[in-house]
Amino acid sequence: AAGVIQSPRHLIKEKRETATLKCYPIPRHDTVYWYQQGPGQDPQFLISFYEKMQSDKGSIPDRFSAQQFSDYHSELNMSSLELGDSALYFCASRPGQGLDTQYFGPGTRLTVL
Amino acid sequence: AQSVAQPEDQVNVAEGNPLTVKCTYSVSGNPYLFWYVQYPNRGLQFLLKYITGDNLVKGSYGFEAEFNKSQTSFHLKKPSALVSDSALYFCAVNTDKLIFGTGTRLQVFP
């Protein structure tokens, strides 16, 4: 079965640079979530989209922005990167809205030097 | 505020023995509870969920969990542990976003 695809899998950036992370949800899934997992921490919700509209926002810095496109893929744009942004970034998808299962991608490991 | 707690940072068990990974929740209304597993350098894999119905929920890889409303718990269990079960386990409550516990590292020894 098709899974959530994230690219790139690994990314190394310098401080103050920008990064773009991409997420391709499972086919026919129109809801996408982004989570950030710092070293040794649990995943923290950043932002979510349903049908190309932002549906909820968590502890996402103002330096980050995201959108969902017409084909339902999503991109997380991160600017003025800081050392503390180094983390594993997960995308999850599900069909429709509600509280049922979210399916996670393999994550993008971002390292900021 | 909705939350889940995993009181154990690590659980050690011998292969073949039963295992339990604990989770308690604090949720207003009906809880939507999940267990996910994370292997090193991998994403979060869905194991099982409780939304409604039977309190004993069966999931992937022989895992099950028991929803206990009076004790506000949702412990993950497996009758016979495998070395390959060694991983990081997260309990979560779904409020449309997932709120995770701090995770429990399961180590199964041969």
Side-chain angles (χ1 to χ4, degrees):
Chain A
V4 176
I5 297 171
Q6 291 188 246
S7 69
R9 293 292 309 277
H10 302 273
L11 192 56
I12 300 175
K13 291 286 185 178
E14 300 278 344
K15 281 195 308 183
R16 291 180 289 278
E17 286 191 322
T18 61
T20 297
L21 278 54
K22 297 184 179 182
C23 168
Y24 298 86
I26 292 171
R28 291 179 294 281
H29 284 195
D30 49 11
T31 302
V32 167
Y33 303 82
W34 286 97
Y35 293 86
Q36 178 192 55
Q37 185 180 27
Q41 313 231 327
D42 54 287
Q44 295 289 318
F45 170 73
L46 291 178
I47 195 166
S48 61
F49 294 88
Y50 168 64
E51 280 291 339
K52 293 154 281 184
M53 300 286 290
Q54 180 182 307
S55 53
D56 197 0
K57 197 171 181 179
S59 48
I60 183 170
D62 292 341
R63 300 177 288 106
F64 293 8
S65 65
Q67 57 182 321
Q68 185 180 32
F69 295 85
S70 58
D71 64 351
Y72 298 111
H73 94 273
S74 179
E75 295 184 4
L76 177 66
N77 298 293
M78 311 160 72
S79 63
S80 303
L81 287 169
E82 301 174 356
L83 295 178
D85 296 329
S86 296
L88 200 50
Y89 290 84
F90 288 113
C91 171
S93 75
R94 54 151 292 121
Q97 292 183 301
L99 304 182
D100 212 330
T101 307
Q102 296 178 23
Y103 295 93
F104 283 77
T108 294
R109 183 170 295 281
L110 172 66
T111 302
V112 181
L113 302 176
Chain B
Q2 323 271 35
S3 66
V4 292
Q6 294 179 244
E8 302 155 317
D9 289 337
Q10 179 152 332
V11 169
N12 299 317
V13 64
E15 188 173 35
N17 282 1
L19 70 86
T20 299
V21 182
K22 296 179 180 177
C23 172
T24 58
Y25 65 88
S26 175
V27 172
S28 56
N30 295 323
Y32 286 68
L33 298 166
F34 294 78
W35 276 101
Y36 284 85
V37 59
Q38 185 175 27
Y39 294 96
N41 301 313
R42 301 273 293 276
L44 292 154
Q45 295 180 33
F46 166 71
L47 273 181
L48 50 79
K49 64 184 177 187
Y50 174 82
I51 293 178
T52 187
D54 290 340
N55 290 342
L56 185 63
V57 177
K58 293 190 182 296
S60 306
Y61 312 119
F63 283 93
E64 58 189 29
E66 186 168 10
F67 173 71
N68 188 316
K69 189 172 182 178
S70 62
Q71 297 185 7
T72 62
S73 67
F74 189 55
H75 300 334
L76 182 70
K77 300 183 180 185
K78 187 173 182 180
S80 179
L82 298 172
V83 172
S84 57
D85 293 329
S86 299
L88 187 56
Y89 290 80
F90 287 100
C91 180
V93 59
N94 195 346
T95 64
D96 194 35
K97 54 181 176 283
L98 286 168
I99 299 172
F100 290 90
T102 49
T104 298
R105 186 163 301 281
L106 173 66
Q107 190 73 47
V108 182
F109 295 96

PDB file of all heavy atoms in Angstrom, chain A residues 50-85:
ATOM      1  N   TYR A  50      -6.567  20.988   5.674  1.00  0.00           N
ATOM      2  CA  TYR A  50      -7.638  20.168   5.144  1.00  0.00           C
ATOM      3  C   TYR A  50      -8.153  20.833   3.884  1.00  0.00           C
ATOM      4  O   TYR A  50      -8.503  22.030   3.926  1.00  0.00           O
ATOM      5  CB  TYR A  50      -8.764  19.995   6.160  1.00  0.00           C
ATOM      6  CG  TYR A  50     -10.026  19.396   5.588  1.00  0.00           C
ATOM      7  CD1 TYR A  50     -10.027  18.101   5.086  1.00  0.00           C
ATOM      8  CD2 TYR A  50     -11.212  20.131   5.534  1.00  0.00           C
ATOM      9  CE1 TYR A  50     -11.175  17.559   4.540  1.00  0.00           C
ATOM     10  CE2 TYR A  50     -12.361  19.590   4.987  1.00  0.00           C
ATOM     11  CZ  TYR A  50     -12.337  18.296   4.491  1.00  0.00           C
ATOM     12  OH  TYR A  50     -13.475  17.749   3.953  1.00  0.00           O
ATOM     13  N   GLU A  51      -8.172  20.090   2.809  1.00  0.00           N
ATOM     14  CA  GLU A  51      -8.651  20.630   1.535  1.00  0.00           C
ATOM     15  C   GLU A  51      -7.992  21.976   1.210  1.00  0.00           C
ATOM     16  O   GLU A  51      -8.668  22.952   0.860  1.00  0.00           O
ATOM     17  CB  GLU A  51     -10.173  20.770   1.543  1.00  0.00           C
ATOM     18  CG  GLU A  51     -10.903  19.472   1.288  1.00  0.00           C
ATOM     19  CD  GLU A  51     -10.716  18.975  -0.160  1.00  0.00           C
ATOM     20  OE1 GLU A  51     -10.378  19.780  -1.046  1.00  0.00           O
ATOM     21  OE2 GLU A  51     -10.895  17.760  -0.371  1.00  0.00           O
ATOM     22  N   LYS A  52      -6.697  22.013   1.371  1.00  0.00           N
ATOM     23  CA  LYS A  52      -5.852  23.157   0.991  1.00  0.00           C
ATOM     24  C   LYS A  52      -6.009  24.384   1.873  1.00  0.00           C
ATOM     25  O   LYS A  52      -5.433  25.436   1.587  1.00  0.00           O
ATOM     26  CB  LYS A  52      -6.106  23.533  -0.478  1.00  0.00           C
ATOM     27  CG  LYS A  52      -5.648  22.454  -1.447  1.00  0.00           C
ATOM     28  CD  LYS A  52      -6.403  22.493  -2.751  1.00  0.00           C
ATOM     29  CE  LYS A  52      -7.770  21.851  -2.607  1.00  0.00           C
ATOM     30  NZ  LYS A  52      -8.523  21.769  -3.880  1.00  0.00           N
ATOM     31  N   MET A  53      -6.776  24.251   2.960  1.00  0.00           N
ATOM     32  CA  MET A  53      -6.927  25.359   3.900  1.00  0.00           C
ATOM     33  C   MET A  53      -6.292  24.968   5.229  1.00  0.00           C
ATOM     34  O   MET A  53      -6.417  23.822   5.673  1.00  0.00           O
ATOM     35  CB  MET A  53      -8.414  25.682   4.114  1.00  0.00           C
ATOM     36  CG  MET A  53      -9.137  26.077   2.848  1.00  0.00           C
ATOM     37  SD  MET A  53      -8.714  27.735   2.314  1.00  0.00           S
ATOM     38  CE  MET A  53      -9.514  28.691   3.609  1.00  0.00           C
ATOM     39  N   GLN A  54      -5.644  25.922   5.864  1.00  0.00           N
ATOM     40  CA  GLN A  54      -5.082  25.659   7.182  1.00  0.00           C
ATOM     41  C   GLN A  54      -6.218  25.351   8.149  1.00  0.00           C
ATOM     42  O   GLN A  54      -7.194  26.095   8.218  1.00  0.00           O
ATOM     43  CB  GLN A  54      -4.300  26.872   7.673  1.00  0.00           C
ATOM     44  CG  GLN A  54      -3.665  26.689   9.040  1.00  0.00           C
ATOM     45  CD  GLN A  54      -2.942  27.935   9.508  1.00  0.00           C
ATOM     46  OE1 GLN A  54      -2.096  28.467   8.791  1.00  0.00           O
ATOM     47  NE2 GLN A  54      -3.275  28.401  10.695  1.00  0.00           N
ATOM     48  N   SER A  55      -6.100  24.252   8.884  1.00  0.00           N
ATOM     49  CA  SER A  55      -7.180  23.886   9.787  1.00  0.00           C
ATOM     50  C   SER A  55      -6.812  24.074  11.253  1.00  0.00           C
ATOM     51  O   SER A  55      -7.692  24.282  12.089  1.00  0.00           O
ATOM     52  CB  SER A  55      -7.631  22.438   9.554  1.00  0.00           C
ATOM     53  OG  SER A  55      -6.531  21.558   9.610  1.00  0.00           O
ATOM     54  N   ASP A  56      -5.531  23.988  11.581  1.00  0.00           N
ATOM     55  CA  ASP A  56      -5.126  24.181  12.964  1.00  0.00           C
ATOM     56  C   ASP A  56      -3.646  24.565  12.983  1.00  0.00           C
ATOM     57  O   ASP A  56      -2.906  24.287  12.034  1.00  0.00           O
ATOM     58  CB  ASP A  56      -5.359  22.909  13.785  1.00  0.00           C
ATOM     59  CG  ASP A  56      -5.363  23.147  15.284  1.00  0.00           C
ATOM     60  OD1 ASP A  56      -5.193  24.315  15.709  1.00  0.00           O
ATOM     61  OD2 ASP A  56      -5.540  22.174  16.039  1.00  0.00           O
ATOM     62  N   LYS A  57      -3.264  25.221  14.048  1.00  0.00           N
ATOM     63  CA  LYS A  57      -1.890  25.688  14.164  1.00  0.00           C
ATOM     64  C   LYS A  57      -1.419  25.431  15.572  1.00  0.00           C
ATOM     65  O   LYS A  57      -2.138  25.710  16.539  1.00  0.00           O
ATOM     66  CB  LYS A  57      -1.842  27.181  13.841  1.00  0.00           C
ATOM     67  CG  LYS A  57      -0.479  27.724  13.537  1.00  0.00           C
ATOM     68  CD  LYS A  57      -0.625  29.173  13.021  1.00  0.00           C
ATOM     69  CE  LYS A  57       0.704  29.769  12.670  1.00  0.00           C
ATOM     70  NZ  LYS A  57       0.582  31.154  12.158  1.00  0.00           N
ATOM     71  N   GLY A  58      -0.215  24.893  15.675  1.00  0.00           N
ATOM     72  CA  GLY A  58       0.338  24.633  16.994  1.00  0.00           C
ATOM     73  C   GLY A  58       1.504  25.550  17.268  1.00  0.00           C
ATOM     74  O   GLY A  58       1.490  26.722  16.929  1.00  0.00           O
ATOM     75  N   SER A  59       2.529  24.993  17.864  1.00  0.00           N
ATOM     76  CA  SER A  59       3.683  25.801  18.263  1.00  0.00           C
ATOM     77  C   SER A  59       4.657  25.963  17.099  1.00  0.00           C
ATOM     78  O   SER A  59       5.803  25.545  17.166  1.00  0.00           O
ATOM     79  CB  SER A  59       4.373  25.159  19.461  1.00  0.00           C
ATOM     80  OG  SER A  59       4.574  23.768  19.222  1.00  0.00           O
ATOM     81  N   ILE A  60       4.178  26.579  16.059  1.00  0.00           N
ATOM     82  CA  ILE A  60       5.019  26.782  14.874  1.00  0.00           C
ATOM     83  C   ILE A  60       5.589  28.193  14.902  1.00  0.00           C
ATOM     84  O   ILE A  60       4.847  29.171  15.050  1.00  0.00           O
ATOM     85  CB  ILE A  60       4.205  26.518  13.575  1.00  0.00           C
ATOM     86  CG1 ILE A  60       5.083  26.664  12.333  1.00  0.00           C
ATOM     87  CG2 ILE A  60       2.971  27.396  13.499  1.00  0.00           C
ATOM     88  CD1 ILE A  60       4.434  26.187  11.056  1.00  0.00           C
ATOM     89  N   PRO A  61       6.913  28.310  14.786  1.00  0.00           N
ATOM     90  CA  PRO A  61       7.515  29.655  14.816  1.00  0.00           C
ATOM     91  C   PRO A  61       7.036  30.499  13.633  1.00  0.00           C
ATOM     92  O   PRO A  61       6.689  29.977  12.578  1.00  0.00           O
ATOM     93  CB  PRO A  61       9.016  29.364  14.698  1.00  0.00           C
ATOM     94  CG  PRO A  61       9.193  27.931  15.044  1.00  0.00           C
ATOM     95  CD  PRO A  61       7.927  27.251  14.649  1.00  0.00           C
ATOM     96  N   ASP A  62       7.065  31.802  13.808  1.00  0.00           N
ATOM     97  CA  ASP A  62       6.678  32.715  12.729  1.00  0.00           C
ATOM     98  C   ASP A  62       7.608  32.592  11.533  1.00  0.00           C
ATOM     99  O   ASP A  62       7.245  32.958  10.414  1.00  0.00           O
ATOM    100  CB  ASP A  62       6.667  34.162  13.234  1.00  0.00           C
ATOM    101  CG  ASP A  62       5.560  34.397  14.237  1.00  0.00           C
ATOM    102  OD1 ASP A  62       4.610  33.599  14.276  1.00  0.00           O
ATOM    103  OD2 ASP A  62       5.651  35.383  15.001  1.00  0.00           O
ATOM    104  N   ARG A  63       8.803  32.079  11.761  1.00  0.00           N
ATOM    105  CA  ARG A  63       9.786  31.905  10.672  1.00  0.00           C
ATOM    106  C   ARG A  63       9.393  30.751   9.736  1.00  0.00           C
ATOM    107  O   ARG A  63       9.968  30.597   8.665  1.00  0.00           O
ATOM    108  CB  ARG A  63      11.174  31.610  11.247  1.00  0.00           C
ATOM    109  CG  ARG A  63      11.717  32.687  12.152  1.00  0.00           C
ATOM    110  CD  ARG A  63      13.066  32.287  12.746  1.00  0.00           C
ATOM    111  NE  ARG A  63      12.952  31.238  13.752  1.00  0.00           N
ATOM    112  CZ  ARG A  63      13.308  29.975  13.572  1.00  0.00           C
ATOM    113  NH1 ARG A  63      13.813  29.587  12.415  1.00  0.00           N
ATOM    114  NH2 ARG A  63      13.187  29.098  14.551  1.00  0.00           N
ATOM    115  N   PHE A  64       8.448  29.956  10.190  1.00  0.00           N
ATOM    116  CA  PHE A  64       7.999  28.806   9.395  1.00  0.00           C
ATOM    117  C   PHE A  64       6.659  29.135   8.745  1.00  0.00           C
ATOM    118  O   PHE A  64       5.806  29.798   9.343  1.00  0.00           O
ATOM    119  CB  PHE A  64       7.811  27.573  10.279  1.00  0.00           C
ATOM    120  CG  PHE A  64       9.054  26.999  10.882  1.00  0.00           C
ATOM    121  CD1 PHE A  64      10.277  27.635  10.794  1.00  0.00           C
ATOM    122  CD2 PHE A  64       8.989  25.798  11.576  1.00  0.00           C
ATOM    123  CE1 PHE A  64      11.414  27.092  11.375  1.00  0.00           C
ATOM    124  CE2 PHE A  64      10.120  25.247  12.157  1.00  0.00           C
ATOM    125  CZ  PHE A  64      11.330  25.901  12.056  1.00  0.00           C
ATOM    126  N   SER A  65       6.486  28.646   7.553  1.00  0.00           N
ATOM    127  CA  SER A  65       5.178  28.746   6.909  1.00  0.00           C
ATOM    128  C   SER A  65       4.923  27.439   6.162  1.00  0.00           C
ATOM    129  O   SER A  65       5.853  26.687   5.876  1.00  0.00           O
ATOM    130  CB  SER A  65       5.115  29.932   5.953  1.00  0.00           C
ATOM    131  OG  SER A  65       6.024  29.743   4.878  1.00  0.00           O
ATOM    132  N   ALA A  66       3.683  27.181   5.861  1.00  0.00           N
ATOM    133  CA  ALA A  66       3.350  25.943   5.167  1.00  0.00           C
ATOM    134  C   ALA A  66       2.125  26.169   4.311  1.00  0.00           C
ATOM    135  O   ALA A  66       1.359  27.114   4.519  1.00  0.00           O
ATOM    136  CB  ALA A  66       3.109  24.810   6.159  1.00  0.00           C
ATOM    137  N   GLN A  67       1.969  25.314   3.329  1.00  0.00           N
ATOM    138  CA  GLN A  67       0.763  25.353   2.523  1.00  0.00           C
ATOM    139  C   GLN A  67       0.489  23.971   1.957  1.00  0.00           C
ATOM    140  O   GLN A  67       1.365  23.107   1.920  1.00  0.00           O
ATOM    141  CB  GLN A  67       0.877  26.377   1.399  1.00  0.00           C
ATOM    142  CG  GLN A  67       2.048  26.194   0.463  1.00  0.00           C
ATOM    143  CD  GLN A  67       2.108  27.304  -0.590  1.00  0.00           C
ATOM    144  OE1 GLN A  67       1.094  27.749  -1.118  1.00  0.00           O
ATOM    145  NE2 GLN A  67       3.304  27.755  -0.902  1.00  0.00           N
ATOM    146  N   GLN A  68      -0.737  23.803   1.524  1.00  0.00           N
ATOM    147  CA  GLN A  68      -1.140  22.573   0.858  1.00  0.00           C
ATOM    148  C   GLN A  68      -1.600  22.946  -0.540  1.00  0.00           C
ATOM    149  O   GLN A  68      -2.384  23.887  -0.718  1.00  0.00           O
ATOM    150  CB  GLN A  68      -2.260  21.877   1.619  1.00  0.00           C
ATOM    151  CG  GLN A  68      -2.632  20.518   1.039  1.00  0.00           C
ATOM    152  CD  GLN A  68      -3.747  19.828   1.804  1.00  0.00           C
ATOM    153  OE1 GLN A  68      -4.630  20.466   2.361  1.00  0.00           O
ATOM    154  NE2 GLN A  68      -3.692  18.502   1.839  1.00  0.00           N
ATOM    155  N   PHE A  69      -1.138  22.192  -1.505  1.00  0.00           N
ATOM    156  CA  PHE A  69      -1.392  22.511  -2.902  1.00  0.00           C
ATOM    157  C   PHE A  69      -2.600  21.738  -3.449  1.00  0.00           C
ATOM    158  O   PHE A  69      -3.172  20.896  -2.763  1.00  0.00           O
ATOM    159  CB  PHE A  69      -0.133  22.215  -3.718  1.00  0.00           C
ATOM    160  CG  PHE A  69       1.029  23.102  -3.349  1.00  0.00           C
ATOM    161  CD1 PHE A  69       1.857  22.783  -2.290  1.00  0.00           C
ATOM    162  CD2 PHE A  69       1.272  24.271  -4.048  1.00  0.00           C
ATOM    163  CE1 PHE A  69       2.917  23.607  -1.928  1.00  0.00           C
ATOM    164  CE2 PHE A  69       2.336  25.095  -3.715  1.00  0.00           C
ATOM    165  CZ  PHE A  69       3.161  24.767  -2.645  1.00  0.00           C
ATOM    166  N   SER A  70      -2.927  22.057  -4.701  1.00  0.00           N
ATOM    167  CA  SER A  70      -4.147  21.484  -5.304  1.00  0.00           C
ATOM    168  C   SER A  70      -4.076  19.961  -5.431  1.00  0.00           C
ATOM    169  O   SER A  70      -5.109  19.292  -5.452  1.00  0.00           O
ATOM    170  CB  SER A  70      -4.422  22.116  -6.665  1.00  0.00           C
ATOM    171  OG  SER A  70      -3.316  21.928  -7.532  1.00  0.00           O
ATOM    172  N   ASP A  71      -2.848  19.415  -5.505  1.00  0.00           N
ATOM    173  CA  ASP A  71      -2.714  17.953  -5.562  1.00  0.00           C
ATOM    174  C   ASP A  71      -2.583  17.350  -4.157  1.00  0.00           C
ATOM    175  O   ASP A  71      -2.268  16.170  -4.019  1.00  0.00           O
ATOM    176  CB  ASP A  71      -1.523  17.552  -6.423  1.00  0.00           C
ATOM    177  CG  ASP A  71      -0.186  18.028  -5.846  1.00  0.00           C
ATOM    178  OD1 ASP A  71      -0.198  18.806  -4.872  1.00  0.00           O
ATOM    179  OD2 ASP A  71       0.858  17.620  -6.379  1.00  0.00           O
ATOM    180  N   TYR A  72      -2.815  18.174  -3.134  1.00  0.00           N
ATOM    181  CA  TYR A  72      -2.810  17.801  -1.708  1.00  0.00           C
ATOM    182  C   TYR A  72      -1.432  17.618  -1.112  1.00  0.00           C
ATOM    183  O   TYR A  72      -1.346  17.382   0.099  1.00  0.00           O
ATOM    184  CB  TYR A  72      -3.687  16.571  -1.435  1.00  0.00           C
ATOM    185  CG  TYR A  72      -5.121  16.805  -1.782  1.00  0.00           C
ATOM    186  CD1 TYR A  72      -5.721  16.153  -2.847  1.00  0.00           C
ATOM    187  CD2 TYR A  72      -5.882  17.722  -1.057  1.00  0.00           C
ATOM    188  CE1 TYR A  72      -7.045  16.403  -3.186  1.00  0.00           C
ATOM    189  CE2 TYR A  72      -7.199  17.979  -1.397  1.00  0.00           C
ATOM    190  CZ  TYR A  72      -7.771  17.316  -2.459  1.00  0.00           C
ATOM    191  OH  TYR A  72      -9.082  17.565  -2.800  1.00  0.00           O
ATOM    192  N   HIS A  73      -0.376  17.746  -1.909  1.00  0.00           N
ATOM    193  CA  HIS A  73       0.919  17.695  -1.264  1.00  0.00           C
ATOM    194  C   HIS A  73       1.130  18.983  -0.465  1.00  0.00           C
ATOM    195  O   HIS A  73       0.466  20.006  -0.726  1.00  0.00           O
ATOM    196  CB  HIS A  73       2.043  17.432  -2.273  1.00  0.00           C
ATOM    197  CG  HIS A  73       2.733  18.651  -2.820  1.00  0.00           C
ATOM    198  ND1 HIS A  73       2.282  19.335  -3.928  1.00  0.00           N
ATOM    199  CD2 HIS A  73       3.856  19.292  -2.402  1.00  0.00           C
ATOM    200  CE1 HIS A  73       3.095  20.335  -4.183  1.00  0.00           C
ATOM    201  NE2 HIS A  73       4.055  20.341  -3.273  1.00  0.00           N
ATOM    202  N   SER A  74       2.021  18.925   0.484  1.00  0.00           N
ATOM    203  CA  SER A  74       2.235  20.070   1.359  1.00  0.00           C
ATOM    204  C   SER A  74       3.723  20.375   1.441  1.00  0.00           C
ATOM    205  O   SER A  74       4.565  19.483   1.257  1.00  0.00           O
ATOM    206  CB  SER A  74       1.696  19.772   2.763  1.00  0.00           C
ATOM    207  OG  SER A  74       1.922  20.857   3.635  1.00  0.00           O
ATOM    208  N   GLU A  75       4.022  21.636   1.668  1.00  0.00           N
ATOM    209  CA  GLU A  75       5.411  22.060   1.842  1.00  0.00           C
ATOM    210  C   GLU A  75       5.526  22.895   3.109  1.00  0.00           C
ATOM    211  O   GLU A  75       4.660  23.741   3.384  1.00  0.00           O
ATOM    212  CB  GLU A  75       5.878  22.849   0.627  1.00  0.00           C
ATOM    213  CG  GLU A  75       5.934  22.013  -0.640  1.00  0.00           C
ATOM    214  CD  GLU A  75       6.493  22.746  -1.834  1.00  0.00           C
ATOM    215  OE1 GLU A  75       6.919  23.908  -1.692  1.00  0.00           O
ATOM    216  OE2 GLU A  75       6.498  22.140  -2.929  1.00  0.00           O
ATOM    217  N   LEU A  76       6.592  22.633   3.846  1.00  0.00           N
ATOM    218  CA  LEU A  76       6.909  23.391   5.056  1.00  0.00           C
ATOM    219  C   LEU A  76       8.143  24.222   4.745  1.00  0.00           C
ATOM    220  O   LEU A  76       9.200  23.669   4.425  1.00  0.00           O
ATOM    221  CB  LEU A  76       7.173  22.439   6.225  1.00  0.00           C
ATOM    222  CG  LEU A  76       7.583  23.057   7.559  1.00  0.00           C
ATOM    223  CD1 LEU A  76       6.441  23.893   8.131  1.00  0.00           C
ATOM    224  CD2 LEU A  76       7.973  21.967   8.561  1.00  0.00           C
ATOM    225  N   ASN A  77       7.991  25.523   4.768  1.00  0.00           N
ATOM    226  CA  ASN A  77       9.084  26.439   4.476  1.00  0.00           C
ATOM    227  C   ASN A  77       9.629  27.018   5.775  1.00  0.00           C
ATOM    228  O   ASN A  77       8.864  27.519   6.603  1.00  0.00           O
ATOM    229  CB  ASN A  77       8.595  27.568   3.569  1.00  0.00           C
ATOM    230  CG  ASN A  77       8.101  27.043   2.238  1.00  0.00           C
ATOM    231  OD1 ASN A  77       8.865  26.532   1.437  1.00  0.00           O
ATOM    232  ND2 ASN A  77       6.801  27.155   1.991  1.00  0.00           N
ATOM    233  N   MET A  78      10.926  26.934   5.921  1.00  0.00           N
ATOM    234  CA  MET A  78      11.573  27.355   7.156  1.00  0.00           C
ATOM    235  C   MET A  78      12.651  28.375   6.805  1.00  0.00           C
ATOM    236  O   MET A  78      13.537  28.072   5.985  1.00  0.00           O
ATOM    237  CB  MET A  78      12.185  26.142   7.857  1.00  0.00           C
ATOM    238  CG  MET A  78      11.183  24.973   7.970  1.00  0.00           C
ATOM    239  SD  MET A  78      11.947  23.387   8.233  1.00  0.00           S
ATOM    240  CE  MET A  78      12.480  23.584   9.898  1.00  0.00           C
ATOM    241  N   SER A  79      12.572  29.547   7.393  1.00  0.00           N
ATOM    242  CA  SER A  79      13.549  30.591   7.081  1.00  0.00           C
ATOM    243  C   SER A  79      14.341  30.957   8.336  1.00  0.00           C
ATOM    244  O   SER A  79      13.956  30.614   9.461  1.00  0.00           O
ATOM    245  CB  SER A  79      12.840  31.818   6.520  1.00  0.00           C
ATOM    246  OG  SER A  79      11.970  32.360   7.482  1.00  0.00           O
ATOM    247  N   SER A  80      15.448  31.672   8.099  1.00  0.00           N
ATOM    248  CA  SER A  80      16.320  32.115   9.202  1.00  0.00           C
ATOM    249  C   SER A  80      16.566  30.977  10.181  1.00  0.00           C
ATOM    250  O   SER A  80      16.346  31.095  11.399  1.00  0.00           O
ATOM    251  CB  SER A  80      15.689  33.309   9.930  1.00  0.00           C
ATOM    252  OG  SER A  80      15.451  34.361   9.048  1.00  0.00           O
ATOM    253  N   LEU A  81      17.028  29.867   9.655  1.00  0.00           N
ATOM    254  CA  LEU A  81      17.189  28.667  10.466  1.00  0.00           C
ATOM    255  C   LEU A  81      18.095  28.907  11.655  1.00  0.00           C
ATOM    256  O   LEU A  81      19.102  29.639  11.575  1.00  0.00           O
ATOM    257  CB  LEU A  81      17.731  27.527   9.610  1.00  0.00           C
ATOM    258  CG  LEU A  81      16.734  26.914   8.623  1.00  0.00           C
ATOM    259  CD1 LEU A  81      17.440  25.995   7.647  1.00  0.00           C
ATOM    260  CD2 LEU A  81      15.622  26.192   9.368  1.00  0.00           C
ATOM    261  N   GLU A  82      17.710  28.280  12.757  1.00  0.00           N
ATOM    262  CA  GLU A  82      18.481  28.357  13.997  1.00  0.00           C
ATOM    263  C   GLU A  82      18.938  26.949  14.367  1.00  0.00           C
ATOM    264  O   GLU A  82      18.365  25.949  13.916  1.00  0.00           O
ATOM    265  CB  GLU A  82      17.604  28.939  15.107  1.00  0.00           C
ATOM    266  CG  GLU A  82      17.058  30.321  14.802  1.00  0.00           C
ATOM    267  CD  GLU A  82      16.072  30.800  15.848  1.00  0.00           C
ATOM    268  OE1 GLU A  82      15.748  30.028  16.792  1.00  0.00           O
ATOM    269  OE2 GLU A  82      15.618  31.967  15.728  1.00  0.00           O
ATOM    270  N   LEU A  83      19.953  26.898  15.230  1.00  0.00           N
ATOM    271  CA  LEU A  83      20.471  25.593  15.661  1.00  0.00           C
ATOM    272  C   LEU A  83      19.345  24.742  16.268  1.00  0.00           C
ATOM    273  O   LEU A  83      19.288  23.529  16.069  1.00  0.00           O
ATOM    274  CB  LEU A  83      21.597  25.780  16.675  1.00  0.00           C
ATOM    275  CG  LEU A  83      22.867  26.461  16.171  1.00  0.00           C
ATOM    276  CD1 LEU A  83      23.878  26.618  17.314  1.00  0.00           C
ATOM    277  CD2 LEU A  83      23.493  25.702  15.016  1.00  0.00           C
ATOM    278  N   GLY A  84      18.448  25.391  16.988  1.00  0.00           N
ATOM    279  CA  GLY A  84      17.360  24.685  17.665  1.00  0.00           C
ATOM    280  C   GLY A  84      16.312  24.113  16.732  1.00  0.00           C
ATOM    281  O   GLY A  84      15.427  23.387  17.179  1.00  0.00           O
ATOM    282  N   ASP A  85      16.419  24.452  15.450  1.00  0.00           N
ATOM    283  CA  ASP A  85      15.479  23.880  14.490  1.00  0.00           C
ATOM    284  C   ASP A  85      15.887  22.474  14.059  1.00  0.00           C
ATOM    285  O   ASP A  85      15.118  21.794  13.362  1.00  0.00           O
ATOM    286  CB  ASP A  85      15.376  24.775  13.248  1.00  0.00           C
ATOM    287  CG  ASP A  85      14.804  26.142  13.562  1.00  0.00           C
ATOM    288  OD1 ASP A  85      13.971  26.250  14.492  1.00  0.00           O
ATOM    289  OD2 ASP A  85      15.191  27.126  12.889  1.00  0.00           O
TER     290      ASP A  85
END
